[in-house]
Amino acid sequence: MCGVVGYIGDKEATSILIDGLEKLEYRGYDSAGLAVFHDGGIQIRKYKGRLSILAENIAEENLSSKLGIGHTRWATHGEPSDRNAHPHTNVAGNIAVIHNGIIENYMKIKEWLIEEKKIQFKSETDSEVIAHLIDHFYEGDLLQAVYKAIDKMEGAYAIGVICKDEPDKIVAVRKDSPLIVGIGEGENFLASDIPALLKYTRDMYLIENDEVVLLTKDKISIFNALGQEVKRDVFEVTWDAQSAEKEGYQHFMIKEIHEQPKGIHDTLMRRLDKDNNIILDGIKLTKQDLEKINKVYIVACGTAYHAGLVGRFAIEKFAKVPVEVDVASEFRYRDPFVDENTLFIAVSQSGETLDTLAALREAKRKGARIMSIVNVVGSSVARESHDVFYTWAGPEIAVASTKAYTTQMIAMYLLALYMGRTKNTIDKAYYDQTIAELKTMPDKVQQILNHVGEIQQLADAQFNNESVFFMGRGVDVNVAHEGSLKLKEISYINSFAIAAGELKHGTIALIEDGTLVVAVATQHHLFEKMLSNIQEVRARGAYVVAVAKESNKEVEKTSDIVMYIPDTMDELAPVLSIIPLQLLSYYIAVARGCDVDKPKNLAKSVTVE
Ligand code: M6R
């Protein structure tokens, strides 16, 4: 979703802004722009399309400046266009604003500005109202004008503001949309995400909700909603800038697919002691707590939701507690049965997904115990949870989530096993066997990654399909859903996942000669049933690609191609069976010439509703 960058110091602002925005390109955007102080005024440049268009357009100009704000926009209100791109200004052009998020009451404010102030709007965006509102309240003090403006604004926003009459400051605000400040020497930075600033500093302040920041080149002041200055600990980023670079891979997605053995290893080993006991550290789930919990909700979006589906399987299997999984955008509006005996688990890579955050708040309001499984340390979801189980995937840049998903599943398994042992719903031998098998996962994932050539060949033969069906039974159907999402989001193929037993109730009508069907068939007790389902689609002309364990050669008799995974316990098969599906999606998207890391219409972190 949109990216925000700001700079104030002695260096060339334009190049720092462009560089920072480049690092945020992975979030997804459709236009880019910047505002800098130059020649005694604010200069705005903004263009529809890639950041390179902005960079090329300003390359020939001398836009020398020591202060500026930059933005990549992902359209919500108004089409992607030059005029809807940010920054937006007031009528006089002496106040410039960049904005991530949505101003929910913008229409009311806009109508008032048009009627009362006779403002002629230059764009169709909600964001433009911010510049006019600040202008309306401006009486020589930008900070105060911003405070008065945000008092009138509803919704989610991270904004950066500069003003011609106060050329030594940037004012920024955060409400439900991520914002960080980078601490430099004689210079300071603003951004919506850490990678934008890593080249310049590792010391950051994570800005909290409803806080307002005043940046000068030598000072950073953070104020709360009441205007009182607050103290904030410096957050030191420990991962290196290289983790956010491609390191020779063609795309971030394939790099991140290959980082899964490490992510799984790190997520696992940070939670196991030398005797294979699960150490939850700061997470305070005692036997009494667990005995009190009579229901678990797992709530998330997209891929994280699919990890939640595997989590339901694991918790019901190991801890014998009923679990409901829901997409966050539905959960928050369906008045769910949540009380103080509910454990609510939010799953989110970014920890900034607005729907997930809103669902979490709703569950918290109703008294639930809130746990989150999050990849980004210090993110909003993490901060608002009672307990956090961090995944150790490292920064995930590609829009299509891969390593976050596998580490989320590992976190789910660990949590379920911990609950099972604490509640005594699984015996020690089964626990030990499962932990021992979990520890083999990094190697087994690596074994699959060592044979990408075969999957690449399959992708080269199948990339022209216009629709693909994924199916499975038991926990395999959850993998089928994730495989299908991966394929559609990066290759734009119309893909669909279904419980194999459900096919005959309607969807089988769509199977015809040559239809590609991907059948995930790793579950021993369901294998015969899956074979029947495979035969059903083959009888109607489908071309079947199966995912199966390597000792199970029987599947070859009914499938056209088999993508094998190493043998493992049925319970843990999802950690392995998703890998060939990620690779297949990736290579199909490459063969179709798609922009793999930045698929159209998508954003990495969805901070709007
Ligand atoms: O950051 P989150 O895990 O909360 O993001 C949730 C979804 O937006 C995300 O998983 C999305 O579905 C990905 N594009 C999937 O690859």
Side-chain angles (χ1 to χ4, degrees):
M1 205 122 288
C2 313
V4 157
V5 180
Y7 175 76
I8 181 162
D10 291 324
K11 300 197 184 112
E12 271 312 322
T14 25
S15 52
I16 292 174
L17 296 177
I18 296 280
D19 182 69
L21 290 175
E22 222 167 70
K23 302 289 184 309
L24 297 181
E25 278 193 292
Y26 73 93
R27 294 169 66 99
Y29 69 101
D30 45 54
S31 51
L34 52 75
V36 291
F37 274 113
H38 176 75
D39 239 1
I42 294 178
Q43 297 290 327
I44 309 263
R45 301 288 182 275
K46 50 186 194 165
Y47 300 95
K48 176 184 167 185
R50 289 280 175 224
L51 182 64
S52 54
I53 299 175
L54 171 69
E56 278 158 24
N57 271 286
I58 59 175
E60 301 299 308
E61 297 188 69
N62 169 19
L63 266 188
S64 176
S65 172
K66 308 296 176 208
L67 185 159
I69 49 179
H71 190 263
T72 42
R73 172 176 188 253
W74 189 82
T76 54
H77 296 67
E79 57 171 12
S81 65
D82 291 358
R83 69 196 182 95
N84 286 336
H86 298 213
H88 292 285
T89 64
N90 59 337
V91 174
N94 54 9
I95 292 172
V97 173
I98 48 173
H99 165 224
N100 284 2
I102 290 180
I103 307 302
E104 283 166 5
N105 61 339
Y106 87 101
M107 203 33 112
K108 211 169 118 204
I109 301 174
K110 189 170 177 172
E111 280 164 9
W112 179 81
L113 286 164
I114 293 171
E115 273 163 37
E116 298 293 319
K117 309 272 300 175
K118 310 292 172 230
I119 303 285
Q120 288 195 346
F121 275 76
K122 289 167 282 193
S123 76
E124 299 147 298
T125 65
D126 53 335
S127 313
E128 191 183 337
V129 300
I130 307 171
H132 299 298
L133 255 192
I134 295 173
D135 178 40
H136 168 71
F137 289 116
Y138 188 71
E139 289 174 341
D141 185 339
L142 184 61
L143 184 66
Q144 288 315 314
V146 168
Y147 261 107
K148 287 180 182 157
I150 58 175
D151 190 45
K152 304 282 176 225
M153 285 156 43
E154 287 164 18
Y157 45 85
I159 59 174
V161 190
I162 59 175
C163 172
K164 177 175 175 262
D165 298 335
E166 298 180 59
D168 57 347
K169 64 182 68 156
I170 301 175
V171 176
V173 189
R174 176 203 163 131
K175 182 167 182 280
D176 288 337
S177 192
L179 190 70
I180 54 162
V181 166
I183 310 164
E185 276 183 28
E187 58 182 356
N188 287 308
F189 308 81
L190 184 73
S192 46
D193 204 356
I194 290 170
L197 305 186
L198 270 186
K199 189 167 156 189
Y200 308 101
T201 178
R202 289 170 164 280
D203 292 339
M204 319 261 173
Y205 289 130
L206 306 180
I207 304 307
E208 307 232 349
N209 258 347
D210 299 315
E211 286 182 343
V212 179
V213 190
L214 177 62
L215 291 184
T216 66
K217 77 196 242 310
D218 298 309
K219 194 165 178 226
I220 299 163
S221 313
I222 306 173
F223 304 96
N224 64 17
L226 302 172
Q228 297 152 333
E229 189 154 359
V230 290
K231 279 245 157 291
R232 180 66 27 84
D233 291 338
V234 174
F235 177 82
E236 197 201 332
V237 181
T238 48
W239 43 273
D240 51 25
Q242 262 193 341
S243 311
E245 303 287 343
K246 280 193 217 144
E247 291 172 7
Y249 285 95
Q250 196 187 345
H251 297 102
F252 279 112
M253 182 179 174
I254 190 70
K255 175 186 172 236
E256 288 161 7
I257 288 174
H258 280 271
E259 284 171 345
Q260 290 180 109
K262 182 172 182 328
I264 292 171
H265 171 273
D266 291 354
T267 303
L268 199 55
M269 297 319 287
R270 277 169 206 268
R271 293 289 178 187
L272 291 179
D273 71 7
K274 61 178 182 17
D275 300 318
N276 281 348
N277 296 309
I278 295 168
I279 310 299
L280 288 189
D281 275 349
I283 302 174
K284 303 164 284 293
L285 268 187
T286 61
K287 195 168 178 3
Q288 288 94 308
D289 290 335
L290 288 175
E291 265 155 16
K292 221 181 81 180
I293 288 163
N294 57 20
K295 180 163 200 183
V296 178
Y297 273 106
I298 304 176
V299 177
C301 306
T303 286
Y305 167 74
H306 295 151
L309 294 174
V310 176
R312 173 178 64 191
F313 162 82
I315 293 174
E316 291 190 341
K317 176 109 198 144
F318 299 137
K320 315 281 184 233
V321 190
V323 182
E324 235 188 275
V325 193
D326 206 351
V327 287
S329 52
E330 287 299 316
F331 177 89
R332 59 183 292 200
Y333 293 117
R334 75 177 169 97
D335 196 15
F337 291 113
V338 172
D339 60 23
E340 54 287 354
N341 298 324
T342 306
L343 175 64
F344 175 96
I345 306 177
V347 190
S348 176
Q349 186 285 128
S350 61
E352 301 295 349
T353 302
L354 195 66
D355 284 325
T356 306
L357 198 55
L360 177 159
R361 288 175 183 158
E362 174 65 6
K364 204 173 186 181
R365 195 181 61 77
K366 291 185 160 179
R369 172 80 172 254
I370 311 291
M371 165 167 300
S372 58
I373 294 178
V374 175
N375 194 41
V376 178
V377 177
S379 56
S380 304
V381 169
R383 279 185 282 168
E384 296 195 26
S385 301
H386 298 123
D387 298 298
V388 188
F389 192 128
Y390 281 112
T391 48
W392 284 84
E396 192 180 64
I397 306 292
V399 165
S401 186
T402 53
K403 60 179 182 170
Y405 173 70
T406 40
T407 56
Q408 282 160 354
M409 284 194 288
I410 296 295
M412 282 291 184
Y413 282 119
L414 288 174
L415 195 60
L417 286 165
Y418 177 87
M419 289 167 77
R421 264 324 269 153
T422 311
K423 292 180 68 207
N424 222 1
T425 44
I426 47 166
D427 65 27
K428 176 92 168 70
Y430 184 30
Y431 171 88
D432 285 344
Q433 183 202 359
T434 314
I435 293 285
E437 187 57 24
L438 268 175
K439 287 169 100 172
T440 68
M441 289 294 130
D443 276 352
K444 288 181 175 171
V445 170
Q446 189 57 55
Q447 284 172 39
I448 304 171
L449 294 173
N450 292 344
H451 293 99
V452 293
E454 292 150 30
I455 298 174
Q456 211 167 346
Q457 271 176 17
L458 175 62
D460 287 346
Q462 293 294 333
F463 74 93
N464 263 330
N465 280 284
E466 282 317 315
S467 64
V468 177
F469 290 86
F470 289 76
M471 65 179 188
R473 280 177 169 262
V475 74
D476 282 346
V477 72
N478 305 328
V479 177
H481 277 288
E482 174 57 10
S484 169
L485 176 64
K486 232 41 345 141
L487 183 68
K488 76 175 74 153
E489 70 178 327
I490 58 169
S491 71
Y492 317 137
I493 291 176
N494 186 0
S495 73
F496 185 81
I498 188 163
E502 205 31 40
L503 262 176
K504 57 185 175 296
H505 298 289
T507 307
I508 202 161
L510 297 174
I511 306 292
E512 52 190 35
D513 239 9
T515 306
L516 178 59
V517 175
V518 178
V520 188
T522 69
Q523 301 296 295
H524 185 72
H525 68 297
L526 294 166
F527 186 64
E528 294 302 324
K529 305 268 176 219
M530 263 313 280
L531 283 192
S532 307
N533 296 133
I534 292 174
Q535 268 151 354
E536 276 164 18
V537 293
R538 271 191 114 202
R540 285 150 183 92
Y543 182 86
V544 175
V545 173
V547 179
K549 290 187 198 159
E550 64 193 355
S551 63
N552 182 1
K553 298 288 186 256
E554 217 191 316
V555 72
E556 285 177 19
K557 293 185 197 148
T558 50
S559 308
D560 295 281
I561 302 263
V562 185
M563 299 194 285
Y564 283 112
I565 59 168
D567 285 346
T568 186
M569 290 168 68
D570 281 6
E571 294 86 323
L572 304 183
V575 181
L576 302 181
S577 52
I578 191 57
I579 310 294
L581 302 188
Q582 293 171 342
L583 289 164
L584 186 64
S585 302
Y586 172 76
Y587 287 115
I588 285 181
V590 171
R592 289 166 75 92
C594 298
D595 191 349
V596 174
D597 284 337
K598 290 174 256 153
K600 68 176 181 206
N601 304 338
L602 292 182
K604 180 64 184 163
S605 177
V606 184
T607 49
V608 294
E609 194 182 338

